[in-house]
Amino acid sequence: GARVPICTSCHISIRGPFIAALDKTWCPDHFVCANPACAVPLINCGFVEEADQLYCENDFEKYLAPKCAKCSRAIVGEVVNALRNTYHMHCFVCVACGQPIGSGSFHNEDGKIYCIKDWGKLFQTKCYGCQFPIEPGDKWVEALSQNWHSECFNCSTCQMNLEGQPFCAKNGKPYCKKHGATRNF
Ligand SMILES: [Zn+2]
Ligand SMILES: [Zn+2]
Ligand SMILES: [Zn+2]
Ligand SMILES: [Zn+2]
Ligand SMILES: [Zn+2]
Ligand SMILES: [Zn+2]
């Protein structure tokens, strides 16, 4: 026996033409936007299902779609949830390189979003000796207007470690007392 379709909206068996969508069936008159002020037939336009109701795309965008925290426009499609807000994929981007962050990691500097790579380049302190970043747990010294890993702050001639030691500076480089005092003209 052929199953008689039941209208999802009025729950009456449909004898005649019906509309099938989303594994459900409707009488043609009931396949309309769930907003009573609109009730546009959905057969001719795009629609979105929200909480078991069907809405025309217009109403969905106007009333139901999450709003993007950056451009304030409705988000239809992929949503990025971050910083207790919702964003379009193309609106949640690194301010330095403009690449979408998506579901990747990021850093928030004063409300500005940076991808991990650019954040490291821009905000992580680099050691003047080895050019590698100084990580939060690292021991480091500030000297000659630069930052150094403790183990990288060495005499430029003999490599003796100068942390906590007296040192001389020549051309922005540290030297132990012995080599800093030597003049090699
Ligand atoms: Zn019906
Ligand atoms: Zn509508
Ligand atoms: Zn947006
Ligand atoms: Zn970036
Ligand atoms: Zn270093
Ligand atoms: Zn030395």
Side-chain angles (χ1 to χ4, degrees):
R3 275 197 311 142
V4 179
I6 309 269
C7 173
T8 307
S9 173
C10 67
H11 306 292
I12 290 173
S13 313
I14 307 165
R15 320 256 166 207
F18 64 91
I19 288 159
L22 309 167
D23 293 325
K24 294 170 192 162
T25 47
W26 283 268
C27 359
D29 287 353
H30 287 151
F31 191 63
V32 296
C33 175
N35 173 12
C38 169
V40 70
L42 296 176
I43 195 83
N44 298 318
C45 65
F47 59 88
V48 179
E49 189 182 26
E50 173 80 23
D52 268 347
Q53 303 269 46
L54 298 184
Y55 296 88
C56 68
E57 262 180 359
N58 275 344
D59 282 334
F60 180 76
E61 280 193 38
K62 253 191 279 175
Y63 304 114
L64 298 161
K67 296 279 186 294
C68 173
K70 177 147 182 242
C71 70
S72 315
R73 300 239 278 276
I75 306 168
V76 182
E78 210 162 358
V79 177
V80 179
N81 290 297
L83 309 171
R84 286 188 230 109
N85 279 318
T86 48
Y87 299 85
H88 291 112
M89 201 63 156
H90 60 264
C91 285
F92 194 65
V93 298
C94 168
V95 296
C97 66
Q99 292 301 307
I101 305 282
S103 54
S105 311
F106 61 89
H107 277 278
N108 177 6
E109 281 296 326
D110 295 328
K112 291 199 184 108
I113 304 304
Y114 294 87
C115 68
I116 295 291
K117 220 172 97 214
D118 283 318
W119 182 84
K121 256 193 276 176
L122 294 165
F123 295 100
Q124 237 177 350
T125 309
K126 282 204 189 61
C127 169
Y128 194 69
C130 68
Q131 301 301 320
F132 282 99
I134 297 172
E135 309 284 349
D138 290 347
K139 280 180 73 185
W140 60 285
V141 292
E142 201 182 329
L144 308 174
S145 320
Q146 303 291 350
N147 298 298
W148 315 71
H149 292 113
S150 293
E151 70 270 21
C152 294
F153 188 58
N154 301 326
C155 167
S156 301
T157 302
C158 71
Q159 305 305 317
M160 181 178 103
N161 191 260
L162 297 175
E163 191 196 1
Q165 305 292 320
F167 66 92
C168 308
K170 280 199 293 190
N171 305 321
K173 289 178 178 171
Y175 291 87
C176 67
K177 263 186 119 175
K178 182 173 149 215
H179 291 114
T182 316
R183 290 172 170 259
N184 303 313
F185 291 121

